Amino acid sequence: MEGGRSALEPASSAFFIGAAEVAAMARRLGLTAAELLPTLVPTAQSLARPPISHFPVGAAGLGSTGAIFLGANLEFPGAPLNQSVHAEQFLVSNAAGHGETTITHVAVSAVPCGHCRQFLQELRRASDILVLITSDGPDAAYRPLSRLLPQPFGPRDLLLEDSPLLMEPRDNALVIVRPGEEDSLLSSKALAAAKEAYAPYSGCPSGFAVVDGEGRVYAGSYAESAAYNPSLGPVQAALVAYVARQGVGGEGYESIVGAALVEMEEAAVSQEWTARMLMAVVAPRCRLVVYRCRRSS
């Protein structure tokens, strides 16, 4: 973390509203920050990219810092459906990329699926996260996540009580195996993402970075789930960062021309072949380089 912000944080994002702006908006509209969230869900929905289901989902979350983060679902034609990104996953990855450490409130356009309820369990005090479903209409109200998932399985079942959870600061203390390979911008950003990755169950942190034709780099960190399947891969996390910077009317993924994956040597959980498959589908021009890393101590 640098100055309280993640090293991965983009300079600006259509999916991010800073705490000062949130407070000003709330005063102007006579609302609390939590009451602002459902008013932003339609904007998040408009940013979704669901070319398979044609079912846009939007989410807005309030962080403990007072900032608001948006999320939207992403689907990738030609790839297996399990490569899709859910709006709640987008929101969490987006918030983590801005250095946020927890989410207190979430407003979402549709009832969160079991996949997303499980993914949110990786956050500190997950059961207390307040969720509002805007499709409930005028009667929509916040309810704790514990009501949506009353018998949760998560970090408390597998990790020590004081273990850092998803979105919380960590340094996986990684170095790229072959000296000098970390000197490129792409590999250094992917390494930074791997250092921040949340992989407490497999012990296989990884990071991914992509670069577009203008030289802009977008990076993302692997985020595991205790239930394994809802885990968010580093490729998807990097594409979240890419889409978040694009905003309304953003370019397609075909503008991505290069990518780097950093993962552990002989990793029990490898992202390489998933990365090659997904990038071949969404950005055929992209040249992907894989770098191996190890613990520095």
Side-chain angles (χ1 to χ4, degrees):
M1 306 285 284
E2 300 176 356
R5 292 169 51 185
S6 165
L8 307 179
E9 180 181 347
S12 62
S13 171
F15 286 77
F16 167 72
I17 306 173
E21 187 177 352
V22 169
M25 289 173 62
R27 285 194 301 271
R28 186 169 67 250
L29 297 173
L31 301 173
T32 65
E35 289 169 339
L36 273 179
L37 295 184
T39 71
L40 296 169
V41 167
T43 298
Q45 273 187 285
S46 73
L47 295 165
R49 298 187 181 190
I52 300 172
S53 69
H54 304 290
F55 186 78
V57 180
L62 178 64
S64 59
T65 62
I68 286 177
F69 308 90
L70 304 187
N73 59 324
L74 308 177
E75 298 168 355
F76 309 108
L81 290 177
N82 64 2
Q83 300 303 308
S84 302
V85 178
H86 295 226
E88 294 89 336
Q89 289 180 310
F90 190 124
L91 189 159
V92 169
S93 185
N94 180 31
H98 282 84
E100 185 60 76
T101 59
T102 193
I103 296 293
T104 61
H105 297 71
V106 174
V108 62
S109 59
V111 178
C113 68
H115 186 102
C116 291
R117 300 179 201 195
Q118 181 63 55
F119 186 76
L120 290 171
Q121 294 304 312
E122 298 303 319
L123 303 183
R124 184 75 62 185
R125 292 179 291 279
S127 294
D128 297 329
I129 296 172
L130 296 176
V131 180
L132 182 149
I133 302 159
T134 61
S135 59
D136 285 346
D139 296 327
Y142 282 105
R143 70 190 85 172
L145 183 59
S146 59
R147 285 184 56 187
L148 296 176
L149 192 59
Q151 294 179 300
F153 175 81
R156 68 179 184 180
D157 297 293
L158 298 177
L159 303 180
L160 296 175
E161 188 173 346
D162 60 351
S163 298
L165 299 185
L166 182 59
M167 294 181 62
E168 296 179 347
R170 72 184 50 75
D171 181 356
N172 291 314
L174 304 174
V175 293
I176 289 180
V177 172
R178 298 178 65 176
E181 288 189 332
E182 72 278 8
D183 292 343
S184 76
L185 179 59
L186 263 184
S187 63
S188 64
K189 290 293 187 180
L191 177 62
K195 288 179 178 180
E196 295 187 6
Y198 176 71
Y201 308 112
S202 70
C204 299
S206 56
F208 198 77
V210 298
V211 60
D212 64 19
E214 300 299 319
R216 294 172 296 226
V217 176
Y218 313 86
S221 303
Y222 179 41
E224 283 187 340
S225 162
Y228 286 20
N229 288 343
S231 300
L232 182 71
V235 182
Q236 283 88 341
L239 293 179
V240 163
Y242 175 84
V243 171
R245 285 289 297 276
Q246 299 292 317
V248 178
E251 297 177 319
Y253 308 107
E254 63 275 4
S255 66
I256 295 171
V257 296
L261 169 67
V262 171
E263 66 176 15
M264 301 288 289
E265 288 184 296
E266 301 179 359
V269 175
S270 174
Q271 308 292 333
E272 179 177 354
W273 298 108
T274 295
R276 292 192 184 282
M277 178 274 297
L278 190 52
M279 296 312 295
V281 167
V282 303
R285 292 194 301 147
C286 174
R287 177 178 179 269
L288 170 61
V289 180
V290 178
Y291 300 90
R292 308 299 177 187
C293 66
R294 58 174 172 78
R295 305 284 180 181
S296 61
S297 59

